[in-house]
Amino acid sequence: MGRERRPHIGIFGRRNNGKSTLINFLAGQDIAIVSDVAGTTTDPVKKSFEITGFGPVILIDTAGIDDTGELGKKRILKTNQAIKTIDLAILVITKNTFGDFEKGLIEKFRKQDVPFIAIHNKEDLELLHQETLEKLTEAGAKEVLHFNSLNGDIEPIVKSIKKTIPESAFTTPSLLGDLISYGDIVLLITPIDIEAPEGRLILPQVQAIRDILDNDAICIVLKEREVDAFLRKTAIKPKLVVTDSQVFLKAGASIPSDIALTSFSIMLAHFKGNFSAYLQGTPKISELKDGDKILLLESCTHHTSCDDIGRVKIPRWISNYTGKQLEFVVIAGLDEIPGEMSDYALLIQCGGCMITPKQLGNRLQPAIDAGIPVTNYGMAIAYVQGIYKRAVAPFAKIEDSSLDYL
């Protein structure tokens, strides 16, 4: 299971509250530096961890929310950014200290709809007071636990995590299960070009293969140059064809019109994006004007080639389609978006194969709230290449058959 499918759990609190010690106990190994010196943790530290009877999760150890100085401000910014990426928060306090720093964190949890449990750490030094327990409960803590590194009993914490983490964080819906069934043949068109990773397939292609097998269907994988010969020689009629968005035109010309056709990116858009918002936002490409600024969001960082999809191809295709002078801004990973969201006329999100649905949703929501149209790499490419209606049709019908997006 890739990290983008695992629930993310963040550990928050003031400096020297024992957050790193706690994460080491939970993970069963020393993955975070432990020191008596406050502020040892700088950037968030991530570690995969298997919870018995539950499954794999990602633990995130963050810097102290009370850090100081210019560098401390940057660490706090990273800590606050981590809240947008998690499914469950653990708030660590000591010595019954519950003040503005803790209240500020809890308010951020609330705004991001992140449930949290509280842990009173270093119980060997001072026991949890009833008054503190009541304050934490009143503030919204799902449970309030205590811990100390002398006995290291993490079982109550593990039970609380299993009880509190949202079900949506660990359920795994099917990528294509609504479109295929037992015995169906699915054709995957996977170009091997300069952007293809050496010796392997990209993650969406691998995920599609596994999902097809999980649905007891038949998967056939080939390159775009082999499609015509394959269909001619075998006379096989696939139930569905999924192509790389960059060869939409070739796929659209090769695949008969009575066979459903979509792309890996559009598949992911339906799987973890706000598909309804994408459907409404994509046609806004036709309304772009000279001077408009377009924001492209990539979920990962990677080496960029001379014909990079986000930095070169999509800007070229959209500029050629609209005939307008446009400005394109590309942000990789989960970095902060520069300027105000209102500065942008359109947001284009990649498939998001490397991030969780919650993380992707948090990237899109500010634009949606601001009334900025949003779309997806595959849907934008299909639109400007004149294959949009066909490419989104399989999933648009699932989304809401009563709405005429097409």
Side-chain angles (χ1 to χ4, degrees):
M1 180 185 291
R3 286 195 169 200
E4 83 290 344
R5 296 278 191 100
R6 301 179 186 182
H8 284 52
I9 302 172
I11 300 182
F12 302 86
R14 303 190 192 210
R15 291 174 296 168
N16 216 20
N17 272 9
K19 301 185 299 299
S20 298
T21 298
L22 178 61
I23 200 172
N24 286 344
F25 268 94
L26 285 170
Q29 55 184 294
D30 293 336
I31 61 170
I33 298 174
V34 175
S35 170
D36 290 333
V37 177
T40 303
T41 301
T42 54
D43 286 344
V45 176
K46 298 182 179 181
K47 175 63 180 179
S48 298
F49 168 56
E50 182 82 22
I51 297 180
T52 303
F54 177 81
V57 300
I58 303 295
L59 291 174
I60 305 176
D61 184 19
T62 65
I65 196 63
D66 61 334
D67 215 332
T68 58
E70 288 304 313
L71 184 57
K73 291 179 181 178
K74 295 181 179 180
R75 292 171 177 170
I76 292 172
L77 178 62
K78 288 288 187 180
T79 293
N80 289 330
Q81 289 174 351
I83 298 174
K84 299 178 182 179
T85 73
I86 60 172
D87 302 287
L88 174 68
I90 298 177
L91 175 62
V92 181
I93 69 170
T94 60
K95 300 179 182 178
N96 291 283
T97 302
F98 182 73
D100 290 341
F101 288 117
E102 289 73 22
K103 292 175 182 177
L105 279 171
I106 291 172
E107 178 61 19
K108 291 181 175 65
F109 298 157
R110 186 192 63 77
K111 287 182 178 179
Q112 295 298 326
D113 196 25
V114 175
F116 77 98
I117 60 177
I119 296 178
H120 187 258
N121 200 14
K122 302 185 181 182
E123 277 270 309
D124 51 309
L125 301 180
E126 184 174 330
L127 298 177
L128 174 66
H129 296 168
Q130 180 64 29
E131 181 183 1
T132 307
L133 171 62
E134 292 173 356
K135 287 181 179 179
L136 287 166
T137 302
E138 186 177 328
K142 300 299 183 182
E143 284 198 86
V144 181
L145 308 170
H146 53 80
F147 178 79
N148 76 78
S149 59
L150 297 181
N151 61 41
D153 183 12
I154 64 168
E155 191 57 31
I157 300 174
V158 170
K159 288 182 178 178
S160 181
I161 290 173
K162 292 165 68 173
K163 183 193 306 183
T164 308
I165 198 164
E167 184 178 358
S168 59
F170 57 86
T171 53
T172 306
S174 175
L175 287 166
L176 299 169
D178 292 327
L179 302 180
I180 60 176
S181 56
Y182 174 82
D184 285 340
I185 296 175
V186 182
L187 185 66
L188 303 183
I189 302 176
T190 60
I192 304 299
D193 54 21
I194 190 173
E195 292 193 70
E198 185 69 27
R200 60 185 175 87
L201 299 175
I202 62 174
L203 184 57
Q205 295 166 354
V206 175
Q207 290 175 329
I209 293 171
R210 175 56 191 265
D211 192 73
I212 292 165
L213 297 177
D214 285 343
N215 281 283
D216 300 317
I218 300 165
C219 182
I220 299 173
V221 185
L222 44 69
K223 294 184 290 186
E224 74 279 11
R225 294 193 298 271
E226 279 70 52
V227 173
D228 293 320
F230 171 81
L231 294 177
R232 184 177 64 253
K233 291 179 179 179
T234 66
I236 289 175
K237 184 177 181 179
K239 173 69 177 296
L240 173 69
V241 176
V242 185
T243 182
D244 187 292
S245 300
Q246 298 182 65
V247 293
F248 251 140
L249 289 179
K250 165 64 178 169
S254 298
I255 304 302
S257 59
D258 60 338
I259 297 176
L261 172 67
T262 190
S263 76
F264 294 104
S265 183
I266 295 175
M267 173 189 73
L268 287 175
H270 182 261
F271 178 68
K272 64 171 62 175
N274 189 325
F275 198 68
S276 294
Y278 287 155
L279 287 171
Q280 295 170 19
T282 305
K284 299 297 182 181
I285 292 173
S286 294
E287 301 177 15
L288 292 172
K289 304 182 296 295
D290 284 328
D292 278 346
K293 186 182 294 187
I294 316 301
L295 177 65
L296 293 98
L297 297 180
E298 295 185 335
S299 65
C300 62
T301 54
H302 61 273
H303 174 71
T304 57
S305 68
C306 59
D307 215 14
D308 185 76
I309 182 66
R311 291 164 175 78
V312 179
K313 289 183 177 179
I314 290 178
R316 181 175 69 231
W317 287 330
I318 292 180
S319 295
N320 290 342
Y321 175 82
T322 61
K324 305 299 182 181
Q325 295 294 320
L326 305 170
E327 180 182 349
F328 295 88
V329 178
V330 181
I331 302 297
L334 295 175
D335 289 347
E336 287 292 294
I337 295 172
E340 299 294 330
M341 187 57 70
S342 57
D343 296 338
Y344 301 96
L346 179 70
L347 183 153
I348 309 177
Q349 169 69 51
C350 74
C353 65
M354 299 299 293
I355 58 178
T356 68
K358 184 177 184 65
Q359 291 166 356
L360 193 150
N362 284 336
R363 295 292 268 173
L364 296 177
Q365 200 57 49
I368 294 173
D369 291 342
I372 308 302
V374 297
T375 184
N376 154 275
Y377 274 25
M379 296 169 80
I381 293 171
Y383 188 83
V384 300
Q385 294 189 350
I387 198 171
Y388 177 68
K389 292 182 179 181
R390 183 181 182 187
V392 302
F395 295 112
K397 292 174 183 176
I398 296 171
E399 189 70 16
D400 192 337
S401 59
S402 68
L403 297 178
D404 183 14
Y405 291 109
L406 309 181

